[in-house]
Amino acid sequence: MMDSTPVAMPALGGGPAAVPSIRLENVCKSYATRLGGRRVLDHVNLTLEKGRHIGILGRNGAGKSTMIRLLSGAENPTSGHIHRGMSVSWPLAFTGAFQTHLTGLDNLKFVCRVYGVEWKPLLPFVEEFTELGIYLREPVIHYSVGMMMRLAFALSMAIEFDCFLIDEGLSVGDSRFGDRCHVELFQKRKDRSFILVSHDANVIRNYCDRAAVLHKGRLLEFPSVDEAFAFYEAQNVPPPGPVFD
C-alpha cells in the first residue's frame, strides 16, 4: 500500500542534472513586519525537469505567490539558491512590470528588447489575441484591469519560454477569452514545463503529473494529486463551533 505521509522535499546534492531543470535548494524567504521578521518559506526544495508539470496547493498566506515571485526572479530569496537551467516566464498575466505611460504596443517592444526577440513578427498574434483594437496604441495607464491582464497574458504567450508560472486563480476576461488562454497554454504548449498554483484539485489533476502542498513554510510532496489534496483539505477543516443546548 502506498505511503501517503507528506515529507519535506530533501535538499539536493551534486552538480546540475543532465536534463534541463529548475531547482530550489534550501530556499528561505523572510519579510520584516512591525512585530519582527516573518519567515514565509522555510528551506524549500524543489526540482522540476523540462517538460514536467507540478501543481502547488496552499492556504491563503501560505507563500504560494511569494514562491512564484522568487521563481520568476521578481524577488530574491533571503537565503538558499535558485538554479534556472531553462527559461522561465514571468507570472502569467502579471501587470506590475508594465510601463503605464507607454502604449500597449510600446510595452510589447520593450519586453521584446529585454528578451532579445524581434517584435514585428509577434504583433499580429498580440493584436488578434488581446482584441484591444485601437487601444493597443493607447497608453496602458488608461486600460482597465482586464485589458492590462489580457495584454500581459498575450505577451506571455507571444514570447516562448521553457517553463510557465501560472496562478490558476487569475482572471483574464470573459469565459471565451479564458477558454482561448487554456488552449494556448495547456494544449499548444503542453510540452513545456509549468508550475501551477491552484485551489482546485480538478485543475491540478487535469494538467499536472505531480502535486505538492505549501504548509507552514515547507513544501510537501505527495505520491499522488489526490493524496496532496486530501492533506490540503484536512488543513482547511474549520474548528468545531460552540454547542448550544
PDB file of all heavy atoms in Angstrom, residues 69-103:
ATOM      1  N   ARG A  69       7.014  34.513  -7.224  1.00  0.00           N
ATOM      2  CA  ARG A  69       7.850  35.701  -7.452  1.00  0.00           C
ATOM      3  C   ARG A  69       9.335  35.345  -7.406  1.00  0.00           C
ATOM      4  O   ARG A  69      10.136  35.861  -8.189  1.00  0.00           O
ATOM      5  CB  ARG A  69       7.530  36.786  -6.427  1.00  0.00           C
ATOM      6  CG  ARG A  69       6.175  37.463  -6.641  1.00  0.00           C
ATOM      7  CD  ARG A  69       6.069  38.747  -5.852  1.00  0.00           C
ATOM      8  NE  ARG A  69       6.157  38.539  -4.424  1.00  0.00           N
ATOM      9  CZ  ARG A  69       5.128  38.290  -3.626  1.00  0.00           C
ATOM     10  NH1 ARG A  69       3.905  38.214  -4.142  1.00  0.00           N
ATOM     11  NH2 ARG A  69       5.286  38.125  -2.336  1.00  0.00           N
ATOM     12  N   LEU A  70       9.708  34.471  -6.496  1.00  0.00           N
ATOM     13  CA  LEU A  70      11.114  34.053  -6.410  1.00  0.00           C
ATOM     14  C   LEU A  70      11.520  33.283  -7.659  1.00  0.00           C
ATOM     15  O   LEU A  70      12.608  33.486  -8.212  1.00  0.00           O
ATOM     16  CB  LEU A  70      11.341  33.188  -5.169  1.00  0.00           C
ATOM     17  CG  LEU A  70      11.136  33.841  -3.804  1.00  0.00           C
ATOM     18  CD1 LEU A  70      11.446  32.848  -2.697  1.00  0.00           C
ATOM     19  CD2 LEU A  70      11.990  35.086  -3.644  1.00  0.00           C
ATOM     20  N   LEU A  71      10.656  32.392  -8.116  1.00  0.00           N
ATOM     21  CA  LEU A  71      10.966  31.600  -9.305  1.00  0.00           C
ATOM     22  C   LEU A  71      11.120  32.485 -10.538  1.00  0.00           C
ATOM     23  O   LEU A  71      11.972  32.232 -11.391  1.00  0.00           O
ATOM     24  CB  LEU A  71       9.861  30.569  -9.541  1.00  0.00           C
ATOM     25  CG  LEU A  71       9.875  29.346  -8.621  1.00  0.00           C
ATOM     26  CD1 LEU A  71       8.531  28.640  -8.655  1.00  0.00           C
ATOM     27  CD2 LEU A  71      10.988  28.392  -9.018  1.00  0.00           C
ATOM     28  N   SER A  72      10.314  33.542 -10.621  1.00  0.00           N
ATOM     29  CA  SER A  72      10.365  34.427 -11.789  1.00  0.00           C
ATOM     30  C   SER A  72      11.550  35.380 -11.741  1.00  0.00           C
ATOM     31  O   SER A  72      11.896  35.985 -12.758  1.00  0.00           O
ATOM     32  CB  SER A  72       9.074  35.238 -11.889  1.00  0.00           C
ATOM     33  OG  SER A  72       9.001  36.222 -10.858  1.00  0.00           O
ATOM     34  N   GLY A  73      12.150  35.531 -10.556  1.00  0.00           N
ATOM     35  CA  GLY A  73      13.247  36.471 -10.416  1.00  0.00           C
ATOM     36  C   GLY A  73      12.802  37.860 -10.003  1.00  0.00           C
ATOM     37  O   GLY A  73      13.622  38.772  -9.897  1.00  0.00           O
ATOM     38  N   ALA A  74      11.491  38.041  -9.761  1.00  0.00           N
ATOM     39  CA  ALA A  74      10.993  39.343  -9.328  1.00  0.00           C
ATOM     40  C   ALA A  74      11.496  39.695  -7.937  1.00  0.00           C
ATOM     41  O   ALA A  74      11.616  40.868  -7.587  1.00  0.00           O
ATOM     42  CB  ALA A  74       9.464  39.360  -9.357  1.00  0.00           C
ATOM     43  N   GLU A  75      11.781  38.683  -7.122  1.00  0.00           N
ATOM     44  CA  GLU A  75      12.364  38.876  -5.797  1.00  0.00           C
ATOM     45  C   GLU A  75      13.483  37.862  -5.616  1.00  0.00           C
ATOM     46  O   GLU A  75      13.523  36.822  -6.285  1.00  0.00           O
ATOM     47  CB  GLU A  75      11.328  38.689  -4.686  1.00  0.00           C
ATOM     48  CG  GLU A  75      10.244  39.740  -4.640  1.00  0.00           C
ATOM     49  CD  GLU A  75       9.353  39.572  -3.423  1.00  0.00           C
ATOM     50  OE1 GLU A  75       9.807  39.004  -2.400  1.00  0.00           O
ATOM     51  OE2 GLU A  75       8.183  40.004  -3.487  1.00  0.00           O
ATOM     52  N   ASN A  76      14.380  38.157  -4.687  1.00  0.00           N
ATOM     53  CA  ASN A  76      15.465  37.237  -4.353  1.00  0.00           C
ATOM     54  C   ASN A  76      15.167  36.535  -3.030  1.00  0.00           C
ATOM     55  O   ASN A  76      14.533  37.117  -2.146  1.00  0.00           O
ATOM     56  CB  ASN A  76      16.791  37.991  -4.237  1.00  0.00           C
ATOM     57  CG  ASN A  76      17.267  38.545  -5.559  1.00  0.00           C
ATOM     58  OD1 ASN A  76      17.148  37.890  -6.588  1.00  0.00           O
ATOM     59  ND2 ASN A  76      17.792  39.768  -5.543  1.00  0.00           N
ATOM     60  N   PRO A  77      15.622  35.300  -2.873  1.00  0.00           N
ATOM     61  CA  PRO A  77      15.437  34.622  -1.584  1.00  0.00           C
ATOM     62  C   PRO A  77      16.292  35.265  -0.500  1.00  0.00           C
ATOM     63  O   PRO A  77      17.326  35.879  -0.788  1.00  0.00           O
ATOM     64  CB  PRO A  77      15.888  33.185  -1.875  1.00  0.00           C
ATOM     65  CG  PRO A  77      16.822  33.301  -3.033  1.00  0.00           C
ATOM     66  CD  PRO A  77      16.326  34.449  -3.861  1.00  0.00           C
ATOM     67  N   THR A  78      15.862  35.132   0.730  1.00  0.00           N
ATOM     68  CA  THR A  78      16.667  35.593   1.857  1.00  0.00           C
ATOM     69  C   THR A  78      17.913  34.744   1.990  1.00  0.00           C
ATOM     70  O   THR A  78      19.004  35.241   2.291  1.00  0.00           O
ATOM     71  CB  THR A  78      15.835  35.534   3.150  1.00  0.00           C
ATOM     72  OG1 THR A  78      14.635  36.311   2.975  1.00  0.00           O
ATOM     73  CG2 THR A  78      16.617  36.087   4.333  1.00  0.00           C
ATOM     74  N   SER A  79      17.769  33.447   1.758  1.00  0.00           N
ATOM     75  CA  SER A  79      18.900  32.520   1.734  1.00  0.00           C
ATOM     76  C   SER A  79      18.537  31.346   0.845  1.00  0.00           C
ATOM     77  O   SER A  79      17.386  31.174   0.447  1.00  0.00           O
ATOM     78  CB  SER A  79      19.259  32.048   3.148  1.00  0.00           C
ATOM     79  OG  SER A  79      18.180  31.321   3.737  1.00  0.00           O
ATOM     80  N   GLY A  80      19.520  30.525   0.534  1.00  0.00           N
ATOM     81  CA  GLY A  80      19.297  29.418  -0.387  1.00  0.00           C
ATOM     82  C   GLY A  80      19.615  29.828  -1.810  1.00  0.00           C
ATOM     83  O   GLY A  80      20.073  30.944  -2.083  1.00  0.00           O
ATOM     84  N   HIS A  81      19.362  28.906  -2.736  1.00  0.00           N
ATOM     85  CA  HIS A  81      19.761  29.118  -4.126  1.00  0.00           C
ATOM     86  C   HIS A  81      18.669  28.649  -5.064  1.00  0.00           C
ATOM     87  O   HIS A  81      18.018  27.626  -4.830  1.00  0.00           O
ATOM     88  CB  HIS A  81      21.049  28.346  -4.429  1.00  0.00           C
ATOM     89  CG  HIS A  81      21.514  28.474  -5.846  1.00  0.00           C
ATOM     90  ND1 HIS A  81      22.024  29.646  -6.359  1.00  0.00           N
ATOM     91  CD2 HIS A  81      21.503  27.583  -6.873  1.00  0.00           C
ATOM     92  CE1 HIS A  81      22.331  29.464  -7.640  1.00  0.00           C
ATOM     93  NE2 HIS A  81      22.023  28.226  -7.972  1.00  0.00           N
ATOM     94  N   ILE A  82      18.455  29.431  -6.139  1.00  0.00           N
ATOM     95  CA  ILE A  82      17.534  29.039  -7.210  1.00  0.00           C
ATOM     96  C   ILE A  82      18.335  28.905  -8.490  1.00  0.00           C
ATOM     97  O   ILE A  82      18.956  29.872  -8.945  1.00  0.00           O
ATOM     98  CB  ILE A  82      16.411  30.073  -7.392  1.00  0.00           C
ATOM     99  CG1 ILE A  82      15.586  30.196  -6.105  1.00  0.00           C
ATOM    100  CG2 ILE A  82      15.496  29.661  -8.561  1.00  0.00           C
ATOM    101  CD1 ILE A  82      14.520  31.271  -6.159  1.00  0.00           C
ATOM    102  N   HIS A  83      18.344  27.703  -9.053  1.00  0.00           N
ATOM    103  CA  HIS A  83      19.046  27.440 -10.312  1.00  0.00           C
ATOM    104  C   HIS A  83      18.012  27.342 -11.420  1.00  0.00           C
ATOM    105  O   HIS A  83      17.076  26.537 -11.344  1.00  0.00           O
ATOM    106  CB  HIS A  83      19.840  26.142 -10.223  1.00  0.00           C
ATOM    107  CG  HIS A  83      20.365  25.675 -11.545  1.00  0.00           C
ATOM    108  ND1 HIS A  83      21.472  26.232 -12.148  1.00  0.00           N
ATOM    109  CD2 HIS A  83      19.903  24.722 -12.405  1.00  0.00           C
ATOM    110  CE1 HIS A  83      21.692  25.635 -13.307  1.00  0.00           C
ATOM    111  NE2 HIS A  83      20.751  24.716 -13.484  1.00  0.00           N
ATOM    112  N   ARG A  84      18.165  28.158 -12.441  1.00  0.00           N
ATOM    113  CA  ARG A  84      17.262  28.126 -13.590  1.00  0.00           C
ATOM    114  C   ARG A  84      18.027  27.592 -14.794  1.00  0.00           C
ATOM    115  O   ARG A  84      18.756  28.332 -15.460  1.00  0.00           O
ATOM    116  CB  ARG A  84      16.708  29.516 -13.872  1.00  0.00           C
ATOM    117  CG  ARG A  84      15.899  30.107 -12.709  1.00  0.00           C
ATOM    118  CD  ARG A  84      15.444  31.525 -13.004  1.00  0.00           C
ATOM    119  NE  ARG A  84      14.791  32.123 -11.849  1.00  0.00           N
ATOM    120  CZ  ARG A  84      15.434  32.746 -10.861  1.00  0.00           C
ATOM    121  NH1 ARG A  84      16.762  32.850 -10.901  1.00  0.00           N
ATOM    122  NH2 ARG A  84      14.770  33.254  -9.841  1.00  0.00           N
ATOM    123  N   GLY A  85      17.843  26.309 -15.069  1.00  0.00           N
ATOM    124  CA  GLY A  85      18.500  25.690 -16.203  1.00  0.00           C
ATOM    125  C   GLY A  85      17.678  25.753 -17.471  1.00  0.00           C
ATOM    126  O   GLY A  85      18.017  25.115 -18.472  1.00  0.00           O
ATOM    127  N   MET A  86      16.572  26.492 -17.431  1.00  0.00           N
ATOM    128  CA  MET A  86      15.745  26.734 -18.610  1.00  0.00           C
ATOM    129  C   MET A  86      15.073  28.083 -18.436  1.00  0.00           C
ATOM    130  O   MET A  86      15.035  28.630 -17.336  1.00  0.00           O
ATOM    131  CB  MET A  86      14.714  25.616 -18.804  1.00  0.00           C
ATOM    132  CG  MET A  86      13.878  25.273 -17.591  1.00  0.00           C
ATOM    133  SD  MET A  86      12.777  23.874 -17.948  1.00  0.00           S
ATOM    134  CE  MET A  86      12.269  23.380 -16.298  1.00  0.00           C
ATOM    135  N   SER A  87      14.544  28.618 -19.535  1.00  0.00           N
ATOM    136  CA  SER A  87      13.931  29.935 -19.465  1.00  0.00           C
ATOM    137  C   SER A  87      12.600  29.857 -18.727  1.00  0.00           C
ATOM    138  O   SER A  87      11.825  28.909 -18.897  1.00  0.00           O
ATOM    139  CB  SER A  87      13.719  30.500 -20.869  1.00  0.00           C
ATOM    140  OG  SER A  87      12.865  29.666 -21.633  1.00  0.00           O
ATOM    141  N   VAL A  88      12.348  30.865 -17.878  1.00  0.00           N
ATOM    142  CA  VAL A  88      11.167  30.881 -17.018  1.00  0.00           C
ATOM    143  C   VAL A  88      10.374  32.154 -17.306  1.00  0.00           C
ATOM    144  O   VAL A  88      10.931  33.247 -17.377  1.00  0.00           O
ATOM    145  CB  VAL A  88      11.560  30.838 -15.534  1.00  0.00           C
ATOM    146  CG1 VAL A  88      10.316  30.793 -14.644  1.00  0.00           C
ATOM    147  CG2 VAL A  88      12.466  29.639 -15.248  1.00  0.00           C
ATOM    148  N   SER A  89       9.067  32.007 -17.441  1.00  0.00           N
ATOM    149  CA  SER A  89       8.212  33.161 -17.709  1.00  0.00           C
ATOM    150  C   SER A  89       8.053  34.018 -16.466  1.00  0.00           C
ATOM    151  O   SER A  89       8.371  33.596 -15.348  1.00  0.00           O
ATOM    152  CB  SER A  89       6.824  32.693 -18.174  1.00  0.00           C
ATOM    153  OG  SER A  89       6.046  32.219 -17.075  1.00  0.00           O
ATOM    154  N   TRP A  90       7.557  35.219 -16.660  1.00  0.00           N
ATOM    155  CA  TRP A  90       7.050  35.974 -15.518  1.00  0.00           C
ATOM    156  C   TRP A  90       5.701  35.359 -15.153  1.00  0.00           C
ATOM    157  O   TRP A  90       5.119  34.598 -15.929  1.00  0.00           O
ATOM    158  CB  TRP A  90       6.903  37.457 -15.885  1.00  0.00           C
ATOM    159  CG  TRP A  90       6.060  37.732 -17.096  1.00  0.00           C
ATOM    160  CD1 TRP A  90       4.698  37.826 -17.142  1.00  0.00           C
ATOM    161  CD2 TRP A  90       6.517  37.924 -18.442  1.00  0.00           C
ATOM    162  NE1 TRP A  90       4.286  38.075 -18.427  1.00  0.00           N
ATOM    163  CE2 TRP A  90       5.377  38.150 -19.245  1.00  0.00           C
ATOM    164  CE3 TRP A  90       7.779  37.948 -19.045  1.00  0.00           C
ATOM    165  CZ2 TRP A  90       5.460  38.379 -20.616  1.00  0.00           C
ATOM    166  CZ3 TRP A  90       7.861  38.182 -20.407  1.00  0.00           C
ATOM    167  CH2 TRP A  90       6.710  38.387 -21.181  1.00  0.00           C
ATOM    168  N   PRO A  91       5.157  35.644 -13.965  1.00  0.00           N
ATOM    169  CA  PRO A  91       3.835  35.095 -13.621  1.00  0.00           C
ATOM    170  C   PRO A  91       2.795  35.509 -14.657  1.00  0.00           C
ATOM    171  O   PRO A  91       2.697  36.682 -15.002  1.00  0.00           O
ATOM    172  CB  PRO A  91       3.540  35.722 -12.251  1.00  0.00           C
ATOM    173  CG  PRO A  91       4.887  36.017 -11.675  1.00  0.00           C
ATOM    174  CD  PRO A  91       5.747  36.401 -12.850  1.00  0.00           C
ATOM    175  N   LEU A  92       2.053  34.559 -15.179  1.00  0.00           N
ATOM    176  CA  LEU A  92       1.121  34.856 -16.261  1.00  0.00           C
ATOM    177  C   LEU A  92       0.119  35.917 -15.851  1.00  0.00           C
ATOM    178  O   LEU A  92      -0.442  35.874 -14.761  1.00  0.00           O
ATOM    179  CB  LEU A  92       0.368  33.586 -16.687  1.00  0.00           C
ATOM    180  CG  LEU A  92       1.207  32.500 -17.346  1.00  0.00           C
ATOM    181  CD1 LEU A  92       0.311  31.509 -18.057  1.00  0.00           C
ATOM    182  CD2 LEU A  92       2.228  33.061 -18.332  1.00  0.00           C
ATOM    183  N   ALA A  93      -0.092  36.863 -16.760  1.00  0.00           N
ATOM    184  CA  ALA A  93      -0.994  37.993 -16.574  1.00  0.00           C
ATOM    185  C   ALA A  93      -0.510  38.961 -15.499  1.00  0.00           C
ATOM    186  O   ALA A  93      -1.268  39.791 -15.026  1.00  0.00           O
ATOM    187  CB  ALA A  93      -2.421  37.543 -16.283  1.00  0.00           C
ATOM    188  N   PHE A  94       0.779  38.888 -15.125  1.00  0.00           N
ATOM    189  CA  PHE A  94       1.346  39.849 -14.180  1.00  0.00           C
ATOM    190  C   PHE A  94       1.500  41.192 -14.876  1.00  0.00           C
ATOM    191  O   PHE A  94       2.145  41.303 -15.913  1.00  0.00           O
ATOM    192  CB  PHE A  94       2.710  39.358 -13.685  1.00  0.00           C
ATOM    193  CG  PHE A  94       3.425  40.337 -12.788  1.00  0.00           C
ATOM    194  CD1 PHE A  94       2.907  40.651 -11.552  1.00  0.00           C
ATOM    195  CD2 PHE A  94       4.607  40.931 -13.197  1.00  0.00           C
ATOM    196  CE1 PHE A  94       3.570  41.547 -10.721  1.00  0.00           C
ATOM    197  CE2 PHE A  94       5.276  41.824 -12.382  1.00  0.00           C
ATOM    198  CZ  PHE A  94       4.753  42.133 -11.132  1.00  0.00           C
ATOM    199  N   THR A  95       0.895  42.238 -14.291  1.00  0.00           N
ATOM    200  CA  THR A  95       0.891  43.552 -14.922  1.00  0.00           C
ATOM    201  C   THR A  95       1.827  44.543 -14.240  1.00  0.00           C
ATOM    202  O   THR A  95       1.938  45.688 -14.683  1.00  0.00           O
ATOM    203  CB  THR A  95      -0.529  44.145 -14.919  1.00  0.00           C
ATOM    204  OG1 THR A  95      -0.961  44.313 -13.555  1.00  0.00           O
ATOM    205  CG2 THR A  95      -1.510  43.235 -15.645  1.00  0.00           C
ATOM    206  N   GLY A  96       2.492  44.117 -13.181  1.00  0.00           N
ATOM    207  CA  GLY A  96       3.289  45.043 -12.393  1.00  0.00           C
ATOM    208  C   GLY A  96       4.501  45.595 -13.113  1.00  0.00           C
ATOM    209  O   GLY A  96       5.046  46.624 -12.695  1.00  0.00           O
ATOM    210  N   ALA A  97       4.947  44.933 -14.188  1.00  0.00           N
ATOM    211  CA  ALA A  97       6.140  45.392 -14.898  1.00  0.00           C
ATOM    212  C   ALA A  97       5.820  46.332 -16.049  1.00  0.00           C
ATOM    213  O   ALA A  97       6.729  46.818 -16.714  1.00  0.00           O
ATOM    214  CB  ALA A  97       6.931  44.189 -15.419  1.00  0.00           C
ATOM    215  N   PHE A  98       4.546  46.596 -16.301  1.00  0.00           N
ATOM    216  CA  PHE A  98       4.196  47.493 -17.394  1.00  0.00           C
ATOM    217  C   PHE A  98       4.684  48.908 -17.119  1.00  0.00           C
ATOM    218  O   PHE A  98       4.617  49.412 -15.990  1.00  0.00           O
ATOM    219  CB  PHE A  98       2.679  47.541 -17.604  1.00  0.00           C
ATOM    220  CG  PHE A  98       2.128  46.389 -18.393  1.00  0.00           C
ATOM    221  CD1 PHE A  98       0.858  45.897 -18.137  1.00  0.00           C
ATOM    222  CD2 PHE A  98       2.859  45.791 -19.405  1.00  0.00           C
ATOM    223  CE1 PHE A  98       0.333  44.852 -18.859  1.00  0.00           C
ATOM    224  CE2 PHE A  98       2.349  44.737 -20.142  1.00  0.00           C
ATOM    225  CZ  PHE A  98       1.084  44.269 -19.861  1.00  0.00           C
ATOM    226  N   GLN A  99       5.149  49.563 -18.182  1.00  0.00           N
ATOM    227  CA  GLN A  99       5.408  50.994 -18.141  1.00  0.00           C
ATOM    228  C   GLN A  99       4.093  51.664 -18.539  1.00  0.00           C
ATOM    229  O   GLN A  99       3.729  51.713 -19.711  1.00  0.00           O
ATOM    230  CB  GLN A  99       6.533  51.361 -19.100  1.00  0.00           C
ATOM    231  CG  GLN A  99       7.844  50.649 -18.823  1.00  0.00           C
ATOM    232  CD  GLN A  99       8.410  51.013 -17.460  1.00  0.00           C
ATOM    233  OE1 GLN A  99       8.460  52.178 -17.091  1.00  0.00           O
ATOM    234  NE2 GLN A  99       8.826  50.010 -16.710  1.00  0.00           N
ATOM    235  N   THR A 100       3.352  52.148 -17.548  1.00  0.00           N
ATOM    236  CA  THR A 100       1.957  52.545 -17.788  1.00  0.00           C
ATOM    237  C   THR A 100       1.817  53.782 -18.671  1.00  0.00           C
ATOM    238  O   THR A 100       0.741  54.014 -19.238  1.00  0.00           O
ATOM    239  CB  THR A 100       1.226  52.779 -16.463  1.00  0.00           C
ATOM    240  OG1 THR A 100       1.931  53.765 -15.701  1.00  0.00           O
ATOM    241  CG2 THR A 100       1.134  51.481 -15.667  1.00  0.00           C
ATOM    242  N   HIS A 101       2.869  54.590 -18.788  1.00  0.00           N
ATOM    243  CA  HIS A 101       2.767  55.771 -19.643  1.00  0.00           C
ATOM    244  C   HIS A 101       3.131  55.460 -21.094  1.00  0.00           C
ATOM    245  O   HIS A 101       3.020  56.334 -21.953  1.00  0.00           O
ATOM    246  CB  HIS A 101       3.642  56.901 -19.092  1.00  0.00           C
ATOM    247  CG  HIS A 101       3.132  57.457 -17.794  1.00  0.00           C
ATOM    248  ND1 HIS A 101       2.051  58.312 -17.728  1.00  0.00           N
ATOM    249  CD2 HIS A 101       3.528  57.245 -16.515  1.00  0.00           C
ATOM    250  CE1 HIS A 101       1.810  58.630 -16.467  1.00  0.00           C
ATOM    251  NE2 HIS A 101       2.691  57.994 -15.719  1.00  0.00           N
ATOM    252  N   LEU A 102       3.534  54.216 -21.344  1.00  0.00           N
ATOM    253  CA  LEU A 102       3.757  53.769 -22.715  1.00  0.00           C
ATOM    254  C   LEU A 102       2.499  53.083 -23.229  1.00  0.00           C
ATOM    255  O   LEU A 102       1.659  52.613 -22.453  1.00  0.00           O
ATOM    256  CB  LEU A 102       4.931  52.794 -22.779  1.00  0.00           C
ATOM    257  CG  LEU A 102       6.307  53.325 -22.376  1.00  0.00           C
ATOM    258  CD1 LEU A 102       7.336  52.215 -22.480  1.00  0.00           C
ATOM    259  CD2 LEU A 102       6.715  54.522 -23.215  1.00  0.00           C
ATOM    260  N   THR A 103       2.379  52.996 -24.533  1.00  0.00           N
ATOM    261  CA  THR A 103       1.248  52.284 -25.123  1.00  0.00           C
ATOM    262  C   THR A 103       1.441  50.778 -24.955  1.00  0.00           C
ATOM    263  O   THR A 103       2.534  50.294 -24.627  1.00  0.00           O
ATOM    264  CB  THR A 103       1.112  52.610 -26.614  1.00  0.00           C
ATOM    265  OG1 THR A 103       2.249  52.061 -27.311  1.00  0.00           O
ATOM    266  CG2 THR A 103       1.047  54.111 -26.842  1.00  0.00           C
TER     267      THR A 103
END
